Amino acid sequence: MKESVKNSSEFKIFSNLVELGLIEGSKVCEYKSCKSAGHELELDLRKRKKNDENHLLTWRCKKCTNYKSVYSNSFFGLFRKPVKIILAIIKCWATQLTISKTIDVIELNLCHKVTEKTVGTIFYRLRQVCSLSIDKPNILLGGVGKIIEIDESLYAKVKHWTGKDLQRPQVWVFGLVERNDSDERSSQCYMQVVKDREANTLVPIIYDKCKSGSIIYSDCWASYNKISKFKNFTHKTVNHSLNFIDPDSGACTNKIESLWNACKHKFKEMHGCKRLYIQSYIDEYLWRYNNNVCNDRKSSYDLILKYIAKYYQPGTELNNFEKIASSAIGIVDTLDETEEEGSIYYAGSCSNSDSGSEVNSDILGSLNSDNEDFGNLNEFEEDESVTGSGSSTQKNTVNSNNALDDTVEEINIEDSDMSHHNDDEQDLIKVARYYTTNEEKIDQINSQLSNVALSDLKYRSLVFEKKALEQPKSSKETVEKVKKVLSNKRNPVECLVCGKYFEEKGLKTHMTRMHK
């Protein structure tokens, strides 16, 4: 290796990324004759154009003289920006900065201009990594004698309850948090967007996420009345119209209420986001909370790099990659929960001293290295298929953390895409669609996957995007157990036609009246 390569700043970055497993440390030429002979590539510095001032670190084959970027087939190959800039943006994400603040920090510290689209795309990819790494299907809370607080919260509140947004369905989020007074750092939580607050929706989640023998604290919402009939749960309630802490049982939900406050602070700082991406921001908060890095920006940065290396492991063969992708979030069927897309608004104030609104000098100190001009770009085009990373038209007025959060596009839907709607809903949708549902986004990704080569880096990114959008579903056994208990029948028997439960005599009457 040439001395000029070893002494370059690009080689130092290369060595650090190889140590972390983010890029390959050695590579064989992919040209047929060279690959059969096993010719290894060597590092070399070259310019993309003669007039460029900066050099790019590339792999070079001595025999066929072919060049290939050292960042190909890695996470950095998804973006058309220098690696130093991408790492700096990841540090800003770890510091919990918004897009506009990140742009200002990069320009002030590195004298390099980045667009909202670039920063939004990187942030979106990082949230996908968070969604995959928290392993939502396998999260279990509580245990014998342990306390779990549960609650539901509205995430799409319409200001003053007036305006056209009232026609859109409300977005409710159901949350569970494990109380651990002895060691708060080991506390775990789980939050999920739900279609409603009915018992048939909330109780299966409680059944799947809470271990047997847990003590569950909740408010007096009627959907929780049957919790004590599952898994030896002990259910205690507090009437919030009278007390914050129940004087008899000592039940309270202060911890889960404080989590709603901390989780919503991000949305308040962004002035809302598209409904399609609410779950991704919640997953980011879950990742930070469950890994105990909410207030530790340095640990957050180091940890996200480890997970990037895990899911975007360079040099992974297709068979091994499919195993990683399938185990990232578990075996999940297609989504049956659909959410609208549009801006969300919040009432009331929220304060958090460790919210990440200020720049951490320890994290960003390394950005002030040489203030070099990184005008050159990598050899890879930026992934433009991410709908959550477009450009916003009002940068100075809205502090958004998603570049398309403040734009609304009309989407024309074909009749085949509206089979799950009734006639009145179809007529309304045919006029105009100002949002994209989760289900439709997954269908878009499926169509894109059919047009992308299996060995392409974009194929991997699309698979992970799809996995991150999917939500865990309760098993059929869980749904049947919950339905039986909620039916309030002593010996419930299921109707094979409609799926409802009746007593034996009631089932005969039901069949003769409803299913002749």
Side-chain angles (χ1 to χ4, degrees), residues 96-102 123 266 269-270 399-401:
Q96 303 184 48
L97 299 184
T98 58
I99 281 183
S100 58
K101 291 180 180 178
T102 299
F123 280 11
K266 184 75 171 182
E269 194 175 14
M270 297 186 303
N399 238 353
S400 174
N401 200 27

Side-chain angles (χ1 to χ4, degrees), residues 110-111 133 176 273 276 346 350 476:
L110 297 177
C111 299
S133 61
L176 308 90
C273 77
L276 179 64
Y346 299 96
C350 174
K476 291 183 179 179

Side-chain angles (χ1 to χ4, degrees), residues 9 12-13 16 38-39 82-83 99 111 185 199 217 225 285 304 312 317 350 384 391 416 430 457 473 482 496:
S9 60
K12 294 178 182 178
I13 297 176
N16 292 333
H39 288 290
V83 178
I99 281 183
C111 299
R185 294 177 297 177
Y217 289 173
N225 291 341
Y285 178 79
I304 195 64
Y312 287 91
E317 296 181 358
C350 174
E384 297 180 356
S391 59
S416 60
K430 285 179 181 179
L457 177 63
K473 293 172 59 178
V482 171
L496 299 178

Side-chain angles (χ1 to χ4, degrees), residues 274 277 386-392 400 402-409:
K274 287 186 176 180
Y277 303 113
V386 183
T387 60
S389 305
S391 59
S392 174
S400 174
N402 191 313
L404 281 184
D405 287 346
D406 309 303
T407 59
V408 180
E409 296 180 359

Side-chain angles (χ1 to χ4, degrees), residues 121-135:
T121 303
I122 296 175
F123 280 11
Y124 183 65
R125 294 296 181 194
L126 295 176
R127 294 200 305 274
Q128 290 173 19
V129 174
C130 292
S131 299
L132 298 174
S133 61
I134 57 178
D135 194 14

